[in-house]
Structure formats: structure tokens, C-alpha cells
């Protein structure tokens, strides 16, 4: 899935560290939550699925996640940060620390099958929500890459931020 070449925060260059720090600030997160996907999607298309705007300016591993809308039944594609976890990829439903879960979280809970696109390659995945020690291990790794998740957890203290593990689907 995502290669382990993902740069930790401490190993990232100064510009990437600055951009990652900026994203954790509440007003900036609020702004990103409402605008970043509008930049990510066209950059993703222009680079033939190799990059998103967020990936280019932060070095963060962004994947395009396609879920099935729980009410509409239609495919919904959103850019999300992907955390490499061995043969799987994890995604964290932080929603920039907002008080509510992102729509894709509800979609995955209703239908635990999705597809992801990484570096222009799409693949089907099955999804399960990580709990206990596995969730904590993934969150520790995620914070090494993007410390902003600590701030998101504080701001979203009214809910438990979901962590999903995306496993390549077995071909039928």
C-alpha cells in the first residue's frame, strides 16, 4: 500500500515541518477543512494521481479514499492522510479536530468496503476500525508523521476519533 518512505516530522525539511505545524492551529485547520479538498482534487487530476496539493506542500502521504455514501449509495471520493502500517494503510477520521466525524467515517461504518488510490494506482480495500493496542500503535505512528493529530484530539474531545485500517481486498 503506502511505502514506508513517509517522512517523520523530525526528519522532514524545514518547509514541510512548518506546513505540518501550521495545519494544527485551530483557525488554519478550520480553513483547511473547508478549502483543502478543493485544491487537492484538481492537483490530483493534473498529476495523474501522483500528488495532491497537501502532499506537495507538506510531504504528507495523502490517499484518495472512495466510500459508498450511506444514504445516497453513490461513490464519494475524498483526500485523506494515509498512515503506512505494514501491508495495510490506516486513515484517521479526525476531521481537522472538528466536533463531528467526517461523512466518510459514517460511510465506512455503514459499508466497510472502499477503494483507495495511491500514486495513481487504485485498489479495493476492506475496512475495519482499529481498537485497543492496535489503535494506540497507529496513533503513535501517525503523530510521528503529523503531530497535529494531538491538537485535533484535544479539540474533538467530545468524541473518540476513529482509526480505520484498510486491507487490500482479496480478488474474487
Amino acid at each position: 500500500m503506502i511505502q514506508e518512505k513517509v517522512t517523520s516530522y523530525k526528519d522532514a525539511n524545514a518547509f514541510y515541518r512548518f506546513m505540518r505545524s501550521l495545519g494544527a492551529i485551530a483557525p488554519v485547520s478550520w480553513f483547511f477543512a473547508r478549502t483543502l479538498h478543493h485544491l487537492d482534487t484538481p492537483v490530483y487530476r493534473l498529476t495523474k494521481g501522483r500528488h495532491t496539493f497537501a502532499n506537495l506542500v507538506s510531504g504528507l502521504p495523502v490517499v484518495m479514499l472512495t466510500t459508498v455514501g450511506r444514504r445516497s449509495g453513490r461513490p464519494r471520493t475524498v483526500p485523506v492522510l494515509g498512515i503506512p502500517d505494514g501491508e495495510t494503510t490506516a486513515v484517521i477520521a479526525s476531521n481537522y479536530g472538528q466536533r463531528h466525524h467526517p461523512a466518510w467515517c459514517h460511510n465506512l461504518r455503514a459499508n466497510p468496503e472502499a477503494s483507495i488510490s495511491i500514486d495513481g494506482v487504485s485498489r479495493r480495500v476492506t475496512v475495519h476500525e482499529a481498537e485497543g493496542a492496535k489503535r494506540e500503535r497507529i496513533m503513535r505512528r501517525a503523530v510521528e508523521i503529523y503531530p497535529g493529530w494531538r491538537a485535533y484530539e484535544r479539540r474533538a474531545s467530545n468524541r473518540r476519533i476513529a482509526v480505520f485500517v484498510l486491507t487490500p481486498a482479496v480478488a474474487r
Side-chain angles (χ1 to χ4, degrees), residues 7-8 16 24 26 35 39 64 84 112 128 154 159-160:
T7 308
S8 70
Y16 283 174
T35 61
L39 297 172
M64 297 302 277
H128 72 273
R154 282 191 301 276
R159 64 182 176 95
R160 182 156 192 234

Side-chain angles (χ1 to χ4, degrees), residues 73-139:
R74 298 169 125 169
R76 303 291 184 199
T77 302
V78 293
V80 295
L81 295 183
I83 306 303
D85 187 42
E87 296 298 314
T88 66
T89 299
V91 292
I92 300 171
S94 64
N95 205 16
Y96 296 92
Q98 295 181 72
R99 297 190 54 80
H100 58 280
H101 294 293
W104 62 262
C105 175
H106 301 293
N107 294 347
L108 288 179
R109 285 177 171 160
N111 181 3
E113 294 181 358
S115 65
I116 59 172
S117 182
I118 302 169
D119 295 328
V121 177
S122 294
R123 57 187 57 96
R124 301 283 312 151
V125 293
T126 57
V127 181
H128 72 273
E129 196 164 340
E131 297 293 340
K134 186 171 190 172
R135 181 188 185 280
E136 296 310 313
R137 179 180 51 75
I138 292 169
M139 284 301 293

